[in-house]
Structure formats: structure tokens, C-alpha cells
Amino acid sequence: MYGLVNEAVRNLVITNAGEDTWNQIRTKAGVEVESFSRMDQYPDDLTYRLVGAASEVLGAPADAIMEQFGEFWIRYTGREGYGHLFDIAGNSFRDFLFNLDALHTRVGDNFKDLRPPSFKCEDVNEQTIRMHYLTERPGLCPMVLGLLRGLADHFETEVFVEHPVCSRTGGEHCEFLLTMPHANR
Ligand code: HEM
């Protein structure tokens, strides 16, 4: 993945736990560099190792770390030069969800070798959306839960998230059911 992702992990750890803890985590993960170049690509494995090492050093489940990271990613990208993409991808939580693929297509204008996930949304009823999460990378669904929480926060929208189908437990891909009790689309 692009270094932007690993940089965000580094930023989150340093903000919450300090520089020494970050150095412990990256050493445990076998990462020799202290920071990452945002526009360079790194093996996906490095990011997974960082999550695993963070889990050990911080004594927190890897899923909880990924979820926290997802929530952080919304704030991080918003303030690190990608806020305009949030503005054009939709004015509401719902519109934004339907535009996620278009958002990553725009991201790909700058990150030429981006291998983004894909999110296919369908309306179940007035209040509920089913979202299909398609990716070549296994096991990142807790990050999606955090991303959804961060986005709901960004749009000040109350949302209840269910995860009825998961690729980790035999599902072909993960599906999320998002219920917005106050939605009026
Ligand atoms: C302007 C904001 C955003 C930027 C700049 C951005 C950029 C990126 C980048 C660079 C990657 C790494 C992919 C690679 O290197 O091949 C990525 C992955 C990912 N993005 Fe975004 N993204 C943004 C917003 C979002 C939002 C709002 C979601 C919400 C669902 C999202 C979901 C993901 C997920 C789940 C991944 C992990 C990779 C995977 O699942 O295969 N992104 N994004």
C-alpha cells in the first residue's frame, strides 16, 4: 500500500502513545525506516506487520486497532490535503457511501498504482443500505467499521452498523447493513 497509509498508522501511534512506543512497534514489525514516503508503495505485508506489532506492544486486539485506525483515517486524510475530495464526494453520509468508488478513482489521479477497495451500495429501504466491501486484501473489515464510524461522525449522522456476512467466516465478501433512523433521502 502507499506510504500514506503507513504514515497515518505512525501518526496515530505517536499521537496516542508517543515516539518511543512507535519505535518499539516498528522495530518489532521489522521496519527499519522511521517514517514513510507518502507517494511510495510498500508491501502490504509491512502494514499488516505494523498492526500485529501495535497489537502486541499496546496490548490491544488487532481488530480494535484497525477499527480505531479507520476512524482516524477520516480525520487524517481530511487534514492532510485530501479534504477537497470529501467535499466533492457527497453532501450526506448516504451520497458519500454511494460515491466511494468514484472517490478512490479521484485518489488514483495522484496515486497511479492505487489498488483500491470497491464498495457497492444498494438501498434496502428508506433507512437501510446494504454495502458490499470488495477487496484483494484479507481481514481489513474492522477498518471499514471504523471508517463508517468516522464518516458518520463527519456527517453528524446517527447510524447503526451490522456486519451480517464476513469473508473471515466463509462469506464471499463482507457485507454491512447500515441503518440511519433519521434518514430522509
Ligand atoms: C480522501 C480520502 C481518501 C484517500 C486519500 C484514500 C486513499 C487510499 C489509499 C492511498 C489506500 C491504499 C491503497 C493502495 O495503496 O493501493 C486506500 C485504501 C483503503 N481505503 Fe481509501 N482513501 C480515502 C477515503 C476512504 C474512505 C472514506 C473509505 C471508506 C470506506 C476508504 C476505504 C479504504 C479501505 C478499506 C482501504 C484498505 C485497502 C483495501 O481494503 O483493499 N477510503 N485508500
Side-chain angles (χ1 to χ4, degrees), residues 13-31:
V13 170
I14 291 179
T15 307
N16 288 349
E19 197 99 31
D20 287 351
T21 305
W22 165 247
N23 283 325
Q24 251 176 284
I25 290 171
R26 73 174 178 82
T27 306
K28 195 177 263 298
V31 173

Side-chain angles (χ1 to χ4, degrees), residues 1-2 4-5 41 73-74 77 82-83 85-86 96 100 103-104 107 111 113-117 119 131 133-137 140 143-144 147-148 151:
M1 281 197 264
Y2 274 99
L4 181 68
V5 175
Q41 282 190 297
W73 182 247
I74 303 298
T77 49
Y82 305 95
L85 294 177
F86 279 92
F96 201 93
L100 277 171
L103 169 81
H104 277 116
V107 172
F111 296 84
D113 297 311
L114 193 75
R115 290 180 287 119
F119 295 93
M131 189 177 90
Y133 165 46
L134 305 161
T135 175
E136 60 186 72
R137 302 180 177 95
L140 298 183
M143 175 181 168
V144 175
L147 284 159
L148 292 170
L151 277 180

Side-chain angles (χ1 to χ4, degrees), residues 17-159:
E19 197 99 31
D20 287 351
T21 305
W22 165 247
N23 283 325
Q24 251 176 284
I25 290 171
R26 73 174 178 82
T27 306
K28 195 177 263 298
V31 173
E32 283 171 11
V33 289
E34 272 181 38
S35 62
F36 304 91
S37 162
R38 291 176 176 203
M39 304 302 288
D40 284 350
Q41 282 190 297
Y42 297 83
D44 285 358
D45 179 55
L46 188 157
T47 311
Y48 284 94
R49 291 203 315 270
L50 282 178
V51 173
S55 166
E56 280 186 49
V57 171
L58 300 171
D63 282 8
I65 288 171
M66 283 191 273
E67 196 169 333
Q68 195 187 7
F69 176 73
E71 200 173 349
F72 179 72
W73 182 247
I74 303 298
R75 297 197 298 278
Y76 183 80
T77 49
R79 71 166 190 245
E80 295 294 327
Y82 305 95
H84 63 288
L85 294 177
F86 279 92
D87 297 338
I88 55 177
N91 293 323
S92 69
F93 181 66
R94 181 184 179 281
D95 286 357
F96 201 93
L97 295 178
F98 278 81
N99 277 333
L100 277 171
D101 283 1
L103 169 81
H104 277 116
T105 300
R106 289 295 292 267
V107 172
D109 290 346
N110 290 324
F111 296 84
K112 294 292 177 205
D113 297 311
L114 193 75
R115 290 180 287 119
S118 174
F119 295 93
K120 305 283 180 223
C121 292
E122 47 185 331
D123 287 310
V124 175
N125 58 42
E126 283 280 311
Q127 263 101 39
T128 306
I129 293 169
R130 182 185 303 276
M131 189 177 90
H132 301 262
Y133 165 46
L134 305 161
T135 175
E136 60 186 72
R137 302 180 177 95
L140 298 183
C141 46
M143 175 181 168
V144 175
L145 289 172
L147 284 159
L148 292 170
R149 191 133 43 79
L151 277 180
D153 202 50
H154 177 82
F155 288 106
E156 298 179 349
T157 301
E158 189 181 15
V159 60

